[in-house]
Amino acid sequence: MFTFTDSEDLNRSYIANTDDIVKAIGENPIIKKTILKVLWTQFAELETESVANYIADKYLLKLIKNDESLFEKLSVFKNTSINKVAPDFTLEILKDKKTELINLCNYDEARQYIVVFWSSTCSHCLEELPRLHKYVKTLEEGIIKVIAIGLEDDIYGWTERVEDLSSFIHVFGEGKWDNKIGNDYGVTETPSYFILDKNKKIIGKPYDFDAIKTYYQKHPIAP
């Protein structure tokens, strides 16, 4: 799989090698499923999304119809891959002193969006989010809007923390690790970041705040 490859087009080689491996396995579904799960996991961890999704779509999803947990994991990974439209959820927007409910897909207040999953009990989040807040406030209004989903067990600590992050749009993610929005995005740690374009397509998944700054140094937003 990883040795016989074309260095100029690794992903195409990986896909071709996957097809060869499946042919060599033959019609043994147990061995095929086991090997393909290992390969999918490797490419998913390497963030080689196109190959991981190819393995899932062409082969693995057909073999794991009775494995609901793995089926969901593969589906969430695909739905949150680069160039996919971000999973939708509802925002509460304060407008003219009234709270309005609007879906993310219909929200049109910036050229790009950063969706960040965090928690008021996460020390790393409490270090990074103020830096992100300060960074975004240096930009012209309407360039980037941050939507912060707090994955929480209770609302009290979260309420205190959001006061210091007033320029963000805040969503209370009740249930913490059993929250639908977090589950739809496949979030397993905080903070987790997703950069969306104007049409809510996922264009970046930086690891931390420094990676966000690096991303925008390489991909400045056009005026």
Side-chain angles (χ1 to χ4, degrees):
M1 171 59 80
F2 296 99
T3 303
F4 298 100
T5 56
D6 178 357
S7 60
E8 295 184 0
D9 196 343
L10 285 174
N11 288 356
R12 186 176 65 178
S13 295
Y14 294 147
I15 288 172
N17 290 347
T18 298
D19 292 338
D20 289 341
I21 288 171
V22 171
K23 289 178 184 177
I25 294 171
E27 296 304 318
N28 189 319
I30 296 176
I31 294 177
K32 188 184 295 185
K33 176 182 175 181
T34 300
I35 291 177
L36 288 171
K37 282 173 62 177
V38 171
L39 289 175
W40 181 88
T41 301
Q42 286 182 306
F43 285 112
E45 290 177 349
L46 291 170
E47 299 183 355
T48 311
E49 294 177 339
S50 61
V51 180
N53 290 330
Y54 176 84
I55 293 171
D57 288 342
K58 187 162 184 181
Y59 300 112
L60 200 47
L61 288 171
K62 301 172 186 176
L63 296 169
I64 60 167
K65 292 181 179 178
N66 296 325
D67 189 337
E68 294 183 6
S69 177
L70 182 57
F71 189 92
E72 181 180 358
K73 183 177 181 179
L74 269 60
S75 298
V76 168
F77 181 87
K78 178 180 178 181
N79 292 339
T80 55
S81 294
I82 297 295
N83 293 323
K84 291 289 185 179
V85 174
D88 203 14
F89 56 89
T90 302
L91 307 172
E92 292 186 1
I93 306 297
L94 184 63
K95 190 173 183 180
D96 299 327
K97 297 183 180 181
K98 294 182 179 180
T99 299
E100 296 182 359
L101 298 180
I102 185 170
N103 286 354
L104 172 67
C105 64
N106 297 322
Y107 187 60
D108 187 21
E109 295 294 333
R111 297 180 197 169
Q112 289 190 9
Y113 303 85
I114 297 176
V115 176
V116 54
F117 292 86
W118 69 294
S119 174
S120 61
T121 60
C122 163
S123 59
H124 194 190
C125 300
L126 299 181
E127 176 187 343
E128 288 212 351
L129 263 69
R131 296 174 65 198
L132 177 61
H133 189 262
K134 183 177 179 180
Y135 172 73
V136 172
K137 289 193 75 172
T138 66
L139 304 176
E140 180 184 340
E141 181 73 20
I143 297 291
I144 296 174
K145 195 69 180 177
V146 176
I147 300 167
I149 296 99
L151 300 179
E152 306 288 343
D153 288 320
D154 64 68
I155 199 169
Y156 302 108
W158 175 80
T159 302
E160 293 179 5
R161 294 294 184 179
V162 299
E163 293 179 358
D164 297 326
L165 306 168
S166 58
S167 71
F168 292 176
I169 296 174
H170 291 282
V171 177
F172 178 61
E174 186 176 7
K176 200 161 185 174
W177 302 119
D178 191 24
N179 174 265
K180 184 180 185 308
I181 305 173
N183 292 342
D184 286 347
Y185 278 77
V187 175
T188 58
E189 60 182 10
T190 54
S192 289
Y193 300 96
F194 297 81
I195 298 177
L196 316 182
D197 69 6
K198 186 175 180 64
N199 298 315
K200 316 308 182 302
K201 184 172 68 175
I202 299 171
I203 56 175
K205 296 193 286 186
Y207 177 75
D208 57 15
F209 172 70
D210 289 332
I212 290 175
K213 291 179 66 177
T214 299
Y215 177 89
Y216 281 113
Q217 288 170 358
K218 294 180 178 179
H219 307 92
I221 302 175

